[in-house]
Amino acid sequence: MTTTERTAASYFLPSDEPLGLVTADGAPTPDPALAMPADDVLLRLYRGMVSGRRFDTQATALTKQGRLAVYPSARGQEAAEIGSILALRPQDWLFPTYRDSMAVVARGVDPVEVLTLLRGDWHCGYDPYRANVAPQCTPLATNTLHAVGFAHAARVKGEDTVSLVLVGDGATSEGDTHEALNFAAVWKAPVVFLVQNNGYAISVPLEKQTAAPSLAYKGVGYGMPSVLVDGNDAAAVHAVVEQAVERAAAGEGPTLIEAITYRMESHTNADDATRYRDKAEVEQWLTRDPISRLKQYLTDRGLLDDKTQQEIDARAEEEAAALRERMNVDTELDPADLFRHVYAEPTAALRQQAAELAHENTEDQA
């Protein structure tokens, strides 16, 4: 089925080609199933991606400087991350993974608080209720069940809330994902599953993970509408996620979206991607850069000029400089925090351990 043959009625079924609105060279490619976002939304998407990439490169640099214990870069996945986040409503919730720091920041969480997990100070350095963002999930796919349970509970309570859960292609091989898809479909839970298929689960390529023609077919197998989208096309990702959110909010149940994108950097700073993928492959994906294609589209439309570009770049640099400055301050750690947040009422054993540690600290300082 070609893009021109696809109709709105078949939109929620996987196809052989991903839905898109902007080609790799920035040209418009109208699709009857999707509406191009408004001009102001496109500019917000572009600003968000430029800031997101600058945040990502700054976090990578901080890791090399020893300020972070580890950092999983999302460079190259800006369209999927920012496109989906800007499609959420204020009352909706995000359930991110460890690679989605850029998305969490775009949702409004303080970037220093986001990096607290990756610095090793806290399991979650921000208040989830302040921006409706669940703690970043490191174990693969556990956030899928959290998202489904949260969304189902919200609907039972009569709340107008949709959960957006982000996972990678590797997480679709986990049992938790399959349980979450099944429960969400049976309960018609207001959940949007966004699979960022970036080609690899650490070093394992997609063809060694599944024989399915597309990860989107996994949603169909559980009885939920699914769609394949160009994950490097911010306009298309935004349009698809927005439709899925509207559908979930209307009580029509979950949607699975597979966004085809690429992880430009290694899995983390501890990984050497050159051991399992060719340089030519990376260079090929560089030509599909999500920021460049939207920039070209906006420029051709007269929506982005040199002055606006300079303002966007300057703002991103200011944000990176502020992050760098704040992250270059040593954290003051209190060993007693090890015991403060385990139970609402500490057990006798914990109280004894806390007392022993406090006594040891007092002796060390004497």
Side-chain angles (χ1 to χ4, degrees):
M1 180 183 296
T2 65
T3 300
T4 55
E5 292 171 338
R6 187 186 297 111
T7 64
S10 65
Y11 158 67
F12 284 111
L13 292 176
S15 61
D16 294 332
E17 59 177 308
L19 295 172
L21 289 171
V22 179
T23 64
D25 59 2
T29 170
D31 193 300
L34 298 176
M36 180 68 77
D39 292 349
D40 64 321
V41 175
L42 293 173
L43 280 169
R44 285 180 61 209
L45 289 170
Y46 182 69
R47 291 177 186 274
M49 288 197 295
V50 171
S51 290
R53 176 165 295 182
R54 188 63 188 89
F55 163 83
D56 189 88
T57 56
Q58 184 60 69
T60 298
L62 288 168
T63 307
K64 295 177 180 179
Q65 297 163 8
R67 285 297 178 181
L68 295 179
V70 66
Y71 183 70
S73 172
R75 186 168 78 91
Q77 299 179 215
E78 291 88 357
E81 301 246 332
I82 305 302
S84 60
I85 294 305
L86 296 190
L88 293 177
R89 305 168 302 169
Q91 69 267 35
D92 297 329
W93 272 73
L94 171 65
F95 288 79
T97 72
Y98 57 85
R99 194 176 300 283
D100 303 316
S101 297
M102 184 191 305
V104 176
V105 172
R107 187 63 173 160
V109 179
D110 185 326
V112 172
E113 293 182 355
V114 173
L115 294 178
T116 298
L117 164 68
L118 301 171
R119 186 162 55 183
D121 292 348
W122 289 95
H123 291 303
C124 180
Y126 54 86
D127 178 0
Y129 292 95
R130 191 163 53 200
N132 289 7
V133 179
Q136 286 180 271
C137 169
T138 299
L140 289 188
T142 55
N143 58 332
T144 59
L145 291 171
H146 301 161
V148 173
F150 188 96
H152 178 64
R155 190 181 65 174
V156 168
K157 293 186 291 185
E159 299 173 355
D160 178 19
T161 303
V162 174
S163 291
L164 171 66
V165 54
L166 305 180
V167 294
D169 46 290
T172 64
S173 300
E174 297 290 326
D176 284 359
T177 299
H178 295 273
E179 293 173 13
L181 291 171
N182 188 58
F183 277 115
V186 170
W187 290 340
K188 296 184 77 69
V191 183
V192 178
F193 297 88
L194 179 65
V195 179
Q196 296 184 79
N197 181 359
N198 63 18
Y200 293 89
I202 307 181
S203 61
V204 181
L206 184 66
E207 61 267 20
K208 292 187 178 180
Q209 296 184 58
T210 180
S214 164
L215 294 175
Y217 281 83
K218 295 181 182 291
V220 176
Y222 285 104
M224 73 175 64
S226 305
V227 61
L228 185 67
V229 66
D230 185 342
N232 280 16
D233 183 345
V237 172
H238 183 277
V240 167
V241 174
E242 187 174 56
Q243 287 191 20
V245 169
E246 291 175 355
R247 182 177 177 277
E252 299 177 27
T255 300
L256 174 66
I257 300 169
E258 178 187 1
I260 305 297
T261 183
Y262 194 75
R263 191 191 76 210
M264 299 308 304
E265 303 292 341
S266 298
H267 176 67
T268 69
N269 56 293
D271 173 45
D272 180 9
T274 62
R275 298 176 62 185
Y276 53 83
R277 67 183 188 186
D278 296 330
K279 180 180 179 181
E281 178 182 301
V282 179
E283 291 177 344
Q284 180 184 20
W285 276 94
L286 282 171
T287 64
R288 309 178 192 179
D289 182 77
I291 296 180
S292 296
R293 69 198 298 179
L294 185 55
K295 177 181 180 179
Q296 187 63 54
Y297 175 81
L298 293 172
T299 301
D300 292 345
R301 290 271 322 279
L303 299 173
L304 181 66
D305 55 24
D306 291 342
K307 180 181 178 181
T308 304
Q309 180 67 61
Q310 292 172 2
E311 292 174 350
I312 292 173
D313 291 341
R315 176 63 182 274
E317 287 299 328
E318 290 174 1
E319 293 169 348
L323 173 62
R324 184 168 59 248
E325 181 180 357
R326 295 171 64 201
M327 288 295 294
N328 280 329
V329 176
D330 290 334
T331 304
E332 294 184 9
L333 301 177
D334 183 355
D337 285 338
L338 289 168
F339 308 98
R340 288 196 175 108
H341 306 289
V342 181
Y343 296 104
E345 292 293 332
T347 62
L350 276 181
R351 288 195 296 269
Q352 179 181 350
Q353 293 170 22
E356 291 175 355
L357 180 60
H359 180 68
E360 292 177 4
N361 288 336
T362 301
E363 289 184 339
D364 291 341
Q365 295 172 4

